[in-house]
Amino acid sequence: MAAPFPEPPGVIARLLDELRLAAAATDETEHESRRVAMLSRPWDPPSCPPEIRRNVYLWLDDVVAWINEDHTWRTDRVVPICWDLHPHIVHELATLTCLRWEAAFARTPAALEEWHRFTLPAFLQRVVDRIGETGCPPGRHQPNPGGGRNAIYRDGDEPSRRRSRRWQDEESNSRLAGRTAVMELENRVPEQAPRLAKSGKQPG
């Protein structure tokens, strides 16, 4: 009546187990802390090395089918078939998937209830907010409407304009810092005058 949540590939399952144990540790050595800091985080695929990333994407592929078959009904509240062509979905789907896997290890149903009540519905709503209610019909992926603007941002005259603006800002801040330093120095000089007068010395 309800299909089980897809299990991650072995390498991902072992990595998540290790991270879960590390999160619960209270007497971690400095060396162990540095080692754990270097572990891949499957909930952030772009930061993972190729082997881990490929396995994460395999897992996400199964999870999308599971979500659409077991957790959706309306066609405007589904994960698009072309989810892998939507970077914003890939980023969020990995986190959603890892949260669901971790909820299965909780000692109470609270984490799983939170996933059902808040995490999944919020994710599906954001998908609708970003690609619209009609979304991408099966087999008809719609290119990013903002693709042209994004290309202009990265190419053409815009990068050089931003570099010029940063240079102007740096120059302006340098001049401001110089004026501030001079003003602070000028403010200190009068403060020395009373002390010199008491000592009988003449300034200069």
Side-chain angles (χ1 to χ4, degrees):
M1 288 189 289
F5 183 70
E7 293 191 5
V11 63
I12 303 300
R14 290 190 294 273
L15 181 56
L16 290 172
D17 287 345
E18 190 168 5
L19 289 166
R20 188 184 317 108
L21 292 173
T26 57
D27 57 348
E28 195 172 73
T29 65
E30 183 177 351
H31 174 76
E32 178 65 6
S33 180
R34 285 198 299 268
R35 187 191 69 80
V36 171
M38 297 301 293
L39 293 176
S40 298
R41 269 53 174 177
W43 51 85
D44 186 16
S47 70
C48 299
E51 180 188 359
I52 299 297
R53 196 163 60 247
R54 282 193 299 269
N55 280 278
V56 169
Y57 292 151
L58 284 173
W59 187 25
L60 297 186
D61 208 38
D62 291 337
V63 170
V64 167
W66 179 81
I67 289 174
N68 286 344
E69 292 167 3
D70 273 48
H71 289 276
T72 62
W73 188 263
R74 294 170 49 178
T75 56
D76 62 343
R77 291 293 188 277
V78 298
V79 183
I81 292 175
C82 53
W83 64 269
D84 57 311
L85 298 176
H86 294 270
H88 61 96
I89 295 179
V90 176
H91 282 292
E92 290 205 50
L93 183 61
T95 304
L96 176 89
T97 298
C98 289
L99 284 171
R100 175 58 179 81
W101 179 250
E102 291 305 308
F105 293 90
R107 297 189 176 188
T108 72
L112 190 54
E113 195 274 343
E114 181 174 336
W115 189 88
H116 284 295
R117 180 189 292 238
F118 299 111
T119 308
L120 179 62
F123 165 73
L124 293 174
Q125 183 59 50
R126 286 193 296 272
V127 170
V128 173
D129 291 343
R130 288 170 179 168
I131 67 176
E133 291 188 358
T134 56
C136 289
R140 288 187 289 153
H141 169 70
Q142 304 298 312
N144 182 357
R149 293 186 179 187
N150 296 339
I152 292 173
Y153 181 84
R154 292 185 178 275
D155 303 318
D157 297 332
E158 285 302 302
S160 60
R161 182 195 62 76
R162 292 194 301 275
R163 283 194 298 271
S164 175
R165 181 62 176 164
R166 289 193 296 270
W167 181 83
Q168 293 173 8
D169 181 74
E170 183 177 336
E171 286 292 302
S172 175
N173 284 337
S174 296
R175 288 195 296 270
L176 178 62
R179 288 197 299 270
T180 302
V182 170
M183 291 175 62
E184 289 179 351
L185 182 61
E186 290 175 348
N187 289 337
R188 289 196 196 102
V189 172
E191 294 175 358
Q192 296 175 359
R195 291 197 296 270
L196 292 175
K198 290 181 180 179
S199 63
K201 297 180 179 179
Q202 296 298 321

